[in-house]
Amino acid sequence: MIVKNLGKDNSVLGSFVAELRDSKVQKDSMRFRRNLERVGEIFAYELSKTLDYSEKEVKTPLGTATVRTPDSKLVISTVLRAGLPIQQGLLNFFDKAETAFVAAYRKYGKGDYFEIRTDYCNCPSIEGKILVITDAMIASGSSIEIVRRTLIEEGGTPVHTHIFSPIASSYGVDYLSTKLGDDVTLWLAAVDEELTSHSYIVPGLGDAGDLAYGPKL
């Protein structure tokens, strides 16, 4: 697996991540969603550099211009519900992409034990296409592994998978590195070192789904 941590370089991305983490700014759920969306837009621009391009002719009012535009076919998926604003950020740039959705959640047992379950998947064919998976955070990494497997079972084998998440734990990155091959690229804005026994990232940013859309029952 290829890992690209965009947070290592100085850019405006740092400002968006800072606001995502800030407990005062988090009180504005619309602002929180918009910051996730803006992170998704930066991810989209970086993704655009990796795609296949060809020259095309475009007629202007005064003549013909030759431009290079992407040819790659994308399926942009998200893990409900926290990943939705990030997915929208990517769709703002790749408006012709197809979309997919997976509902994944933690089913808790005794103590700190939990397992990842998926109970919904809506996916077009991804055979021979580029699969993009978005989620707000990667804690243990197991949910992303399961979501990718679910999408492939439903839609076929992609030529490459790009995973986008603003924040990941170092444990989650290491876990995915052992589970996923060279046909996967993981894009991040920050990596946090601590993961608690409940698989919460520290300092992290809290429950992204609740912050974006309100608390669940």
Side-chain angles (χ1 to χ4, degrees):
M1 184 181 72
I2 304 166
V3 180
K4 296 191 177 184
N5 182 0
L6 302 179
K8 289 183 177 180
D9 300 322
N10 292 329
S11 76
V12 70
L13 176 63
S15 297
F16 303 152
V17 174
E19 288 199 357
L20 286 172
R21 293 189 190 268
D22 192 317
S23 58
K24 294 182 180 179
V25 180
Q26 288 178 350
K27 295 177 181 179
D28 184 345
S29 60
M30 184 172 68
R31 183 72 176 181
F32 187 82
R33 292 194 303 271
R34 179 56 185 142
N35 279 322
L36 284 176
E37 185 177 350
R38 293 197 290 184
V39 171
E41 290 172 341
I42 291 178
F43 283 152
Y45 177 73
E46 294 299 325
L47 173 63
S48 72
K49 300 175 185 179
T50 72
L51 304 179
D52 295 327
Y53 285 74
S54 66
E55 290 187 349
K56 302 172 183 67
E57 291 188 346
V58 178
K59 290 185 178 180
T60 78
L62 299 177
T64 301
T66 301
V67 296
R68 294 182 59 82
T69 60
D71 300 319
S72 303
K73 295 182 179 180
L74 304 178
V75 176
I76 302 177
S77 68
T78 192
V79 181
L80 298 172
R81 59 183 167 154
L84 283 168
I86 307 169
Q87 182 193 42
Q88 184 58 55
L90 283 145
L91 289 171
N92 290 345
F93 281 34
F94 299 111
D95 52 297
K96 296 179 181 178
E98 297 176 278
T99 56
F101 304 88
V102 179
Y105 63 97
R106 295 178 179 182
K107 179 64 175 180
Y108 285 93
K110 294 182 178 180
D112 294 334
Y113 172 78
F114 67 87
E115 62 181 8
I116 303 297
R117 294 186 180 179
T118 59
D119 58 9
Y120 175 81
C121 180
N122 187 315
C123 180
S125 171
I126 57 175
E127 187 71 35
K129 302 174 185 177
I130 294 175
L131 173 62
V132 177
I133 302 174
T134 65
D135 200 3
M137 291 189 290
I138 296 175
S140 68
S142 57
S143 61
I144 287 292
E145 178 194 11
I146 292 171
V147 164
R148 180 174 181 266
R149 182 168 64 245
T150 300
L151 288 166
I152 290 174
E153 289 173 352
E154 291 286 329
T157 305
V159 294
H160 197 87
T161 300
H162 292 274
I163 301 168
F164 291 97
S165 184
I167 298 174
S169 73
S170 57
Y171 176 93
V173 174
D174 292 341
Y175 175 85
L176 290 176
S177 295
T178 66
K179 298 294 184 178
L180 305 179
D182 293 338
D183 60 340
V184 178
T185 303
L186 174 61
W187 301 78
L188 305 167
V191 178
D192 291 350
E193 293 301 320
E194 185 177 348
L195 189 68
T196 70
S197 60
H198 287 83
S199 288
Y200 296 146
I201 303 174
V202 179
L205 50 78
D207 189 311
D210 287 358
L211 291 168
Y213 298 108
K216 49 190 174 292
L217 294 176

